[in-house]
Amino acid sequence: DTGVSQDPRHKITKRGQNVTFRCDPISEHNRLYWYRQTLGQGPEFLTYFQNEAQLEKSRLLSDRFSAERPKGSFSTLEIQRTEQGDSAMYLCASSLPRAGRKYGYTFGSGTRLTVV
Amino acid sequence: GEDVEQSLFLSVREGDSSVINCTYTDSSSTYLYWYKQEPGAGLQLLTYIFSNMDMKQDQRLTVLLNKKDKHLSLRIADTQTGDSAIYFCAETGDSWGKLQFGSGTQVVVTP
């Protein structure tokens, strides 16, 4: 296992377009998290899944954002009608449920979104 | 709500010790973490401390926790140029492992 993979690494899109990002967690990790990081800031929590169930969503996650994890393995994050304020690094992380608290998460390298 | 604060910048000479400080407000914090982020990369977990501990040492890293003052610090001994990065402090409380991050401290190591 090579860790948490995110695709694409970079995405440039025009304002108003829809974009979708993919995250492949470490295979035995049943928890998966999405975070957003803007320049000069720490990551902000967006949402997380345990297996296929989406258990928590931040109020940062407007109705233009949707995340899925249909089979409890990979996850997708879709942003509809992108706005310039959506430009950020989108980070995915995974963990085991109880061990995750003790050992933290494993983060992917992120998808950098630029909305022009 | 929860808040985690860090100083923005630290400059240190190679071979000296670095100390990065963090304060948090959530009294229910269970685990506190230090992550490292290099340019263009994701976050790498450096170390963590459980809230009933006041110190943890891991090779060149020493974490100190003052739970009464809600103050966490990370000391890096014999700082190397490869330690230049942004360091984030993060905490999780009784919720389901959701992490609250500080805004990061940029550490620059000079020869």
Side-chain angles (χ1 to χ4, degrees):
Chain A
D1 201 339
T2 55
V4 178
S5 300
Q6 291 189 246
D7 184 67
R9 290 294 308 271
H10 304 275
K11 177 74 177 177
I12 300 174
T13 191
K14 288 186 175 179
R15 192 175 48 173
Q17 297 293 305
N18 299 344
V19 294
T20 300
F21 311 140
R22 177 179 170 125
C23 172
D24 287 89
I26 291 173
S27 56
E28 60 266 29
H29 286 183
N30 57 358
R31 285 213 180 158
L32 185 149
Y33 305 81
W34 285 100
Y35 281 78
R36 180 173 69 187
Q37 186 180 21
T38 53
L39 201 62
Q41 298 297 316
E44 297 172 298
F45 170 78
L46 293 179
T47 189
Y48 90 95
F49 294 83
Q50 178 153 310
N51 301 313
E52 64 275 10
Q54 189 173 18
L55 295 186
E56 189 174 348
K57 290 195 292 187
S58 165
R59 59 182 179 275
L60 293 174
L61 213 65
S62 75
D63 55 9
R64 295 185 299 106
F65 288 70
S66 62
E68 292 184 342
R69 194 182 183 199
K71 296 181 182 177
S73 56
F74 73 91
S75 175
T76 57
L77 178 68
E78 182 184 15
I79 309 174
Q80 297 182 324
R81 305 181 303 282
T82 51
E83 301 172 356
Q84 287 187 317
D86 297 332
S87 295
M89 175 79 85
Y90 290 83
L91 293 164
C92 176
S94 68
S95 76
L96 295 167
R98 290 186 187 279
R101 245 194 238 187
K102 185 175 181 182
Y103 300 115
Y105 308 156
T106 301
F107 278 87
S109 298
T111 294
R112 181 166 294 285
L113 173 67
T114 303
V115 181
V116 297
Chain B
E2 305 93 350
D3 202 8
V4 180
E5 294 190 356
Q6 300 179 238
S7 52
L8 290 179
F9 185 80
L10 176 68
S11 178
V12 62
R13 282 192 153 183
E14 192 174 9
D16 288 351
S17 292
S18 313
V19 179
I20 308 166
N21 294 301
C22 170
T23 57
Y24 61 97
T25 57
D26 187 356
S27 57
S28 67
S29 294
T30 314
Y31 286 98
L32 297 116
Y33 305 88
W34 284 103
Y35 281 85
K36 177 183 181 183
Q37 187 176 39
E38 295 179 271
L43 282 83
Q44 174 197 353
L45 178 65
L46 289 178
T47 189
Y48 70 91
I49 189 166
F50 186 49
S51 59
N52 68 355
M53 299 167 67
D54 51 22
M55 188 183 91
K56 181 179 179 183
Q57 188 147 4
D58 185 359
Q59 299 182 344
R60 292 192 296 124
L61 305 178
T62 302
V63 180
L64 294 177
L65 175 61
N66 181 329
K67 197 174 178 184
K68 175 176 166 288
D69 294 339
K70 299 192 184 73
H71 182 266
L72 181 73
S73 68
L74 174 69
R75 179 177 178 270
I76 306 173
D78 186 26
T79 312
Q80 303 297 307
T81 54
D83 295 324
S84 292
I86 301 176
Y87 291 80
F88 291 96
C89 138
E91 58 88 18
T92 184
D94 289 336
S95 65
W96 283 69
K98 178 179 74 179
L99 287 180
Q100 181 78 24
F101 285 87
S103 55
T105 299
Q106 180 160 12
V107 174
V108 173
V109 182
T110 56

